[in-house]
Amino acid sequence: MREVRASAPGKVNLTLRVGPPNPDGYHPLVTVFEALSLRETVTVRTTKTPGVRVETTAYLPDGRVDEATTAAMADLDPGSHLAVRAARILQRLAAAGPWASTAAGVSIRVDKRVPVAGGMAGGSADAAAALVACNQLWDLGLGADQLQAIGRSLGADVPACLVGGIALGTGRGDRMRVLADGEAGDTSAHHWVMLLAHEGLSTPEVFREFDRVDAACAPGLVEPTPGETRALRSGPEELSPRLVNDLQAPALRLRPELARTMEAARRAGALAVTLSGSGPTVAALARDAEHAHDLARALEAEDTVARAMCASGPAHGAVVEETEVS
């Protein structure tokens, strides 16, 4: 039996510009992702029983099991789990190669630390970690470009979780160009407080609201200039005025209480506040780690905040952490 453990980061969008939908219904995006220290861990193991099985355990920031989320994940159709879908794609490739005898079955354990349905790409991180883990499990030798191509077929955020760091996404937000790789010294550290809402928010619903009101007056999509990308890679003071999210207005119309969360974060002293992706998680930018912890303590008392989680970035992308053979 072989076993591989890999991890991949959640994300926050530093910028998210959205264009009117194309004839195929998809929206062109120009977005800059920052990978965060909140990571999903995926462990894959070959089994003698055919098929793909998945077990998911969600954790709270203090390390305790999040019983409600874990139970909810257990009730999901395994076929909709992005880690399962990623494993099945690579399983088919392995079945045609030298690892065919071990590709009949695989078990997947997902340890979740990125909030579910929060606009932080937790499911996409599951897929990214599963891709690099299964690539190693079956010695497929797929390169970064090949894994990103497969990732695009699974979801627009998967390539961002694969590459990590600070990355520019174009097309549907899934064509990546790394601006800073997240290694120490490559860029200034950013500290965030991620403010979770009590209820999720449907991404398709947010896009429909964008189309209803905002699409007609949306500015043309332009990639950030070199000066803008430098600011996005700089310290929090330089970054703070650059945060922008075209999905924020439609999300706030759908969920007006999120505006109260954002205003509370500003009053508490956040340098800047933005919605993470299509929401409903609100991201508050702090000066440093100590400031982030102070903000989290202050904001957890707000009635619109279910939980406040500290995170930092940019973090590295999907990576294999351990391989075992038994």
Side-chain angles (χ1 to χ4, degrees), residues 95 102 128 130 142 164 170 221 225 317:
T102 66
L142 300 176
T170 56
L221 297 181
T225 66

Side-chain angles (χ1 to χ4, degrees), residues 189-195 235-237 240 264-273 283-300 308-312:
H190 302 144
H191 293 272
W192 302 88
V193 180
M194 311 306 291
L195 302 170
E237 288 79 8
S240 60
R266 294 187 186 98
R267 289 198 310 269
L271 296 183
V273 184
L285 181 64
R287 290 189 301 272
D288 51 33
E290 182 179 0
H291 185 214
H293 286 289
D294 290 343
L295 287 173
R297 283 192 294 269
L299 292 168
E300 274 193 321
M309 303 176 67
C310 294
S312 61

Side-chain angles (χ1 to χ4, degrees), residues 8-65:
K11 60 80 180 174
V12 64
N13 297 79
L14 303 182
T15 67
L16 176 55
R17 291 295 192 185
V18 183
N22 293 322
D24 61 8
Y26 287 96
H27 293 76
L29 305 177
V30 173
T31 181
V32 176
F33 298 95
E34 178 168 36
L36 297 177
S37 55
L38 297 173
R39 300 183 73 83
E40 306 282 78
T41 302
V42 174
T43 304
V44 296
R45 182 179 178 86
T46 56
T47 66
K48 295 180 180 179
T49 305
V52 179
R53 286 159 297 284
V54 63
E55 175 187 358
T56 302
T57 303
Y59 293 92
L60 297 168
D62 61 8
R64 291 179 296 128
V65 173

Side-chain angles (χ1 to χ4, degrees), residues 98-110:
W99 287 98
S101 62
T102 66
V106 61
S107 67
I108 305 173
R109 175 181 174 84
V110 179

Side-chain angles (χ1 to χ4, degrees), residues 72-97:
M73 295 298 294
D75 291 337
L76 291 179
D77 174 10
S80 66
H81 201 303
L82 283 177
V84 172
R85 292 173 56 195
R88 284 176 173 167
I89 293 173
L90 295 201
Q91 188 181 41
R92 289 193 291 270
L93 295 178

Side-chain angles (χ1 to χ4, degrees), residues 19-326:
N22 293 322
D24 61 8
Y26 287 96
H27 293 76
L29 305 177
V30 173
T31 181
V32 176
F33 298 95
E34 178 168 36
L36 297 177
S37 55
L38 297 173
R39 300 183 73 83
E40 306 282 78
T41 302
V42 174
T43 304
V44 296
R45 182 179 178 86
T46 56
T47 66
K48 295 180 180 179
T49 305
V52 179
R53 286 159 297 284
V54 63
E55 175 187 358
T56 302
T57 303
Y59 293 92
L60 297 168
D62 61 8
R64 291 179 296 128
V65 173
D66 182 344
E67 300 287 357
T69 302
T70 297
M73 295 298 294
D75 291 337
L76 291 179
D77 174 10
S80 66
H81 201 303
L82 283 177
V84 172
R85 292 173 56 195
R88 284 176 173 167
I89 293 173
L90 295 201
Q91 188 181 41
R92 289 193 291 270
L93 295 178
W99 287 98
S101 62
T102 66
V106 61
S107 67
I108 305 173
R109 175 181 174 84
V110 179
D111 293 311
K112 289 194 68 65
R113 292 174 178 82
V114 179
V116 174
M120 295 176 64
S124 296
D126 294 343
L131 286 174
V132 299
C134 289
N135 188 39
Q136 178 88 354
L137 184 73
W138 292 308
D139 286 338
L140 296 175
L142 300 176
D145 289 344
Q146 292 167 298
L147 290 175
Q148 285 188 50
I150 295 170
R152 281 192 287 273
S153 73
L154 295 167
D157 288 342
V158 178
C161 298
L162 283 166
V163 303
I166 295 176
L168 172 67
T170 56
R172 297 177 185 175
D174 57 1
R175 303 281 175 174
M176 308 308 303
R177 178 161 63 88
V178 176
L179 305 177
D181 65 14
E183 297 298 327
D186 187 69
T187 187
S188 295
H190 302 144
H191 293 272
W192 302 88
V193 180
M194 311 306 291
L195 302 170
L196 278 59
H198 291 283
E199 298 179 18
L201 183 57
S202 164
T203 296
E205 187 177 359
V206 174
F207 273 101
R208 285 193 293 270
E209 178 66 11
F210 173 85
D211 292 342
R212 186 181 72 85
V213 176
D214 306 283
C217 57
L221 297 181
V222 179
E223 293 188 16
T225 66
E228 290 168 336
T229 59
R230 280 194 299 273
L232 295 172
R233 300 195 307 268
S234 298
E237 288 79 8
E238 294 84 358
L239 170 64
S240 60
R242 301 290 182 175
L243 301 181
V244 62
N245 184 344
D246 286 348
L247 295 182
Q248 184 166 296
L252 294 184
R253 287 195 296 271
L254 294 170
R255 294 281 295 278
E257 71 273 16
L258 297 178
R260 290 165 53 199
T261 300
M262 299 180 78
E263 180 56 32
R266 294 187 186 98
R267 289 198 310 269
L271 296 183
V273 184
T274 188
L275 202 65
S276 181
S278 59
T281 299
V282 170
L285 181 64
R287 290 189 301 272
D288 51 33
E290 182 179 0
H291 185 214
H293 286 289
D294 290 343
L295 287 173
R297 283 192 294 269
L299 292 168
E300 274 193 321
E302 294 293 325
D303 60 4
T304 59
V305 176
R307 194 185 316 155
M309 303 176 67
C310 294
S312 61
H316 58 80
V319 62
V320 170
E321 296 184 347
E322 187 175 2
T323 301
E324 294 183 2
V325 180
S326 59

